[in-house]
Amino acid sequence: MTKQDARAEATAREEEAKIFSAPAPTDAAVSAARRDSERLAPAKEWSFPLPRRNDRGVVVTGDGGAAAKRGDVPYGGWARDIVADVARRDAVRDATRDAYAHYEKYAFGDDELRPRAKLGKNAFGGLGATIVDSLDTLWIMGLSDEYGRAREWVSRRLSFDVDRDASVFETTIRVLGGVLAAYDLSGDEMYINKATNLATRLKPAFATASGIPYPIVNLKTGRAKHPGWAHGSSPLAEFGTLSLEFVSLSDRVGDPRWSDLAETPIAKVQSVRGDVGTVPRGLYPMSIDPGKLKWSSGAVSFGAMGDSFFEYLLKTYVMGGRTRELRGWSDMWDESMRAMLEHLVFPGEEEGTKYVAEWNGRAHHKMDHLACFVGGMLVLGAHGSDMEKEYVAAAAEITKMCYRMYTSQPTMLAPEVVSFAKYEKENGGTPRGRRMVNQVNHNLQRPETIESIFYMYRKTGDPMYREWAWNMFCAMRKHYKTDSGWAGIKDVRRDPPTNDDTMQSFFIAETMKYMYLIFADGDVIDLDEWVFNTEAHPLKVKPRRETLVPPYKYS
């Protein structure tokens, strides 16, 4: 055991003692919190679907892998017979309930909670982002009362007829993805009506010569534009992270126009994939001029501005049942992964660790925490590939490096960005991997490392990954939790740290959901039946036979 591992476990044991010795919230405390939130109909009067539990008291989310066993959808090579760690699972659920209760108390209806100010803030058009982002988490965890109040707010209060500019990307992944996932879990038609209304208001953004959408659209007027900082270019991750949601909507309402909107940009990008200058073939620059279909950047990143484009190449294929007709998506993804492994993945200082660099004319040895999703993505795409062993091995090494981003800090929480120092020589003259160095020291409650740990655990069943997750959860509970909400921290090097003033909507949508699922039974969100969008909203796998993205051969 390394010194870092020993310190992480000691910190976890200290916090664990507090978790399991603390009394459960009393009914009176919960009732008091509810009185401070918007008071809607009591649970006994709700007429819409609520989470259904099996004989083990666990919320049912599909048929537990039966679809793959019948051959209706492909088997993804996941570990079988994963049994819940009930105590730790319930500790994560209780923490989520605590965080959400503070949002209800101080910011219900606003996009996010400011815990220190005990106020709400609206960074995503005032569309109740935390409520919509939390719907499926509340459902999966069986928090029926909280889910019921959230559902009622969406039904009665959520309106897209607002004169506000909205990010097409953020609104799609958080709000459109959130209501579609809630529909897939519950079958509640109200969500489909909301999804169709929202998609209709996002549609004007796609009215460009190439079909690559403007990044911003006014939900009321339909006026679309580029932000000033983009200088007329469209970021890769923004226009390339729409297909899961729009394809799902097309399937649910039987209208192919929605999937066509999201697939057209990918087909256009595929057509110019060879015109990337000095960028290695298979990798895609971070922005493109949508009018000229010319790349406007020579930089490549699996972090900010690039990340989820690559994620959605794979997940659109997986969500479509990995059918032969959708091989164009997997061809693009597989070519990208081979190029990434060849040009951007390097060994870290510790044996068994690797990191994902960026590209700007040559490899730039910097890694955003955002890029820590790569381990999980490689695992998801590995099964059935002729690169399966290489993908799983790289996934394990990248995930370990991302875990080290946590255990190397005094707070046991990762910085936002790290870089890697030049190679050093051991005594024998043999080069060793690069040493990790902090670059940006705040922590925003991000989910990407726990996401990859989740996929590694579901793939291998190795209990080590549950231990890593628990160590991370204990550090989060110790440092995020305040008397008025859970907040990120300003500097991971300082223990005790100072909290910032935001509880990110993705903290409940992603970080806590993945954390809960690691400790849950393996048939809770079976990965042969569900695909997570980039905001961790689960969408049903349904085989598809048509796409605008053609297959191709690459070398």
Side-chain angles (χ1 to χ4, degrees):
M1 179 184 292
T2 67
K3 290 182 179 179
Q4 290 183 0
D5 288 327
R7 191 160 57 89
E9 290 197 9
T11 300
R13 297 296 85 78
E14 179 183 344
E15 192 67 18
E16 184 178 77
K18 299 176 184 177
I19 293 170
F20 294 126
S21 65
T26 65
D27 291 341
V30 172
S31 296
R34 289 176 187 167
R35 285 195 298 272
D36 287 326
S37 66
E38 292 193 23
R39 190 62 174 157
L40 300 172
K44 64 182 180 181
E45 296 179 10
W46 288 332
S47 58
F48 47 79
L50 291 171
R52 179 173 62 86
R53 300 176 185 271
N54 61 21
D55 56 7
R56 303 191 309 275
V58 178
V59 172
V60 176
T61 57
D63 58 12
K69 294 173 185 175
R70 291 192 304 267
D72 296 344
V73 298
Y75 169 54
W78 307 106
R80 296 301 190 190
D81 303 319
I82 289 177
V83 178
D85 181 328
V86 174
R88 290 180 173 183
R89 180 200 67 193
D90 289 353
V92 175
R93 180 204 62 204
D94 291 345
T96 304
R97 180 168 55 190
D98 178 77
Y100 189 77
H102 286 102
Y103 167 76
E104 282 194 307
K105 182 175 183 178
Y106 298 117
F108 196 64
D110 291 326
D111 285 333
E112 291 175 322
L113 167 65
R114 295 176 57 202
R116 297 176 69 179
K118 299 181 181 180
L119 296 170
K121 69 174 185 177
N122 290 305
F124 305 105
L127 301 179
T130 293
I131 295 175
V132 182
D133 252 350
S134 299
L135 286 167
D136 49 54
T137 300
L138 300 174
W139 180 283
I140 291 165
M141 293 185 183
L143 299 176
S144 297
D145 284 349
E146 290 83 352
Y147 169 79
R149 294 192 294 276
R151 188 269 181 200
E152 282 292 83
W153 185 90
V154 171
S155 176
R156 298 182 184 183
R157 308 289 174 81
L158 180 59
S159 171
F160 305 121
D161 187 26
V162 289
D163 189 9
R164 292 185 181 180
D165 289 344
S167 162
V168 175
F169 165 72
E170 295 287 0
T171 307
T172 296
I173 65 170
R174 294 173 190 257
V175 184
L176 185 58
V179 294
L180 286 168
Y183 172 75
D184 278 359
L185 285 164
S186 68
D188 190 333
E189 292 289 338
M190 180 272 294
Y191 293 120
I192 283 294
N193 295 333
K194 294 288 185 180
T196 305
N197 186 309
L198 176 56
T200 300
R201 294 174 183 276
L202 294 174
K203 185 179 177 181
F206 293 83
T208 65
S210 63
I212 294 175
Y214 291 104
I216 294 174
V217 65
N218 184 290
L219 295 177
K220 188 177 186 69
T221 68
R223 182 175 178 271
K225 63 182 180 180
H226 286 95
W229 58 264
H231 303 292
S233 293
S234 295
L236 182 71
E238 297 204 1
F239 71 78
T241 310
L242 308 171
S243 53
L244 292 184
E245 297 81 7
F246 280 85
V247 167
S248 292
L249 180 60
S250 274
D251 176 83
R252 306 314 182 258
V253 301
D255 186 346
R257 290 179 299 172
W258 301 117
S259 60
D260 288 353
L261 285 178
E263 290 194 326
T264 294
I266 307 304
K268 292 296 178 68
V269 165
Q270 187 197 78
S271 72
V272 296
R273 78 186 218 286
D275 303 329
V276 290
T278 62
V279 173
R281 188 175 180 87
L283 298 177
Y284 293 81
M286 292 195 297
S287 62
I288 196 169
D289 182 321
K292 299 177 181 178
L293 269 187
K294 298 289 185 182
W295 297 104
S296 50
S297 167
V300 175
S301 175
F302 281 81
M305 307 290 286
D307 48 5
S308 48
F309 167 81
F310 301 99
E311 177 187 1
Y312 271 41
L313 293 179
L314 171 66
K315 288 185 173 180
T316 303
Y317 174 63
V318 175
M319 189 179 75
R322 306 180 195 240
T323 60
R324 179 174 55 84
E325 292 84 355
L326 266 62
R327 283 306 300 265
W329 292 86
S330 65
D331 286 346
M332 291 178 71
W333 179 78
D334 193 55
E335 184 182 36
S336 294
M337 293 306 99
R338 292 169 190 257
M340 179 192 74
L341 292 178
E342 179 179 355
H343 297 284
L344 297 182
V345 175
F346 295 89
E349 185 177 36
E350 181 183 351
E351 184 178 356
T353 62
K354 287 184 178 177
Y355 62 91
V356 184
E358 299 183 349
W359 180 273
N360 197 355
R362 58 188 174 87
H364 179 44
H365 296 274
K366 162 185 169 290
M367 185 176 181
D368 296 352
H369 187 282
L370 287 164
C372 284
F373 85 98
V374 168
M377 176 179 64
L378 285 169
V379 169
L380 179 63
H383 187 69
S385 167
D386 60 1
M387 291 281 288
E388 181 169 2
K389 289 184 179 179
E390 291 86 348
Y391 286 165
V392 173
E397 293 166 324
I398 293 167
T399 302
K400 185 175 181 180
M401 177 63 83
C402 290
Y403 179 59
R404 285 289 176 249
M405 289 172 68
Y406 286 75
T407 62
S408 62
Q409 308 301 323
T411 54
M412 302 290 169
L413 294 172
E416 180 76 355
V417 181
V418 296
S419 63
F420 293 86
K422 292 181 178 180
Y423 284 101
E424 300 176 12
K425 299 283 187 178
E426 295 180 347
N427 292 334
T430 304
R432 65 181 182 182
R434 288 176 174 250
R435 178 172 51 87
M436 183 170 62
V437 179
N438 288 24
Q439 289 291 345
V440 180
N441 289 302
H442 60 250
N443 178 286
L444 300 180
Q445 307 175 306
R446 290 201 185 277
E448 290 79 19
T449 296
I450 197 63
E451 174 184 356
S452 285
I453 291 173
F454 162 73
Y455 280 103
M456 288 302 304
Y457 181 64
R458 283 287 183 95
K459 181 70 173 179
T460 67
D462 187 337
M464 172 186 72
Y465 292 110
R466 273 186 167 172
E467 291 304 313
W468 289 5
W470 184 247
N471 292 343
M472 289 170 61
F473 171 73
C474 288
M476 291 175 183
R477 186 182 185 277
K478 179 179 180 180
H479 296 303
Y480 291 167
K481 190 177 187 299
T482 74
D483 291 338
S484 50
W486 293 52
I489 64 174
K490 294 183 177 181
D491 191 335
V492 298
R493 301 168 301 174
R494 298 183 180 276
D495 187 12
T498 300
N499 290 95
D500 64 23
D501 197 22
T502 300
M503 188 172 84
Q504 306 284 343
S505 80
F506 58 67
F507 175 62
I508 293 177
E510 301 185 69
T511 308
M512 297 304 273
K513 182 186 290 122
Y514 285 126
M515 193 73 73
Y516 177 86
L517 290 173
I518 286 171
F519 298 112
D521 293 308
D523 60 358
V524 180
I525 305 295
D526 186 286
L527 292 178
D528 290 327
E529 297 178 22
W530 299 91
V531 171
F532 290 106
N533 85 338
T534 199
E535 193 78 0
H537 295 308
L539 301 169
K540 289 288 286 184
V541 171
K542 295 191 175 185
R544 295 174 63 214
R545 303 295 176 188
E546 295 182 357
T547 180
L548 299 181
V549 179
Y552 65 91
K553 293 182 179 180
Y554 57 87
S555 58

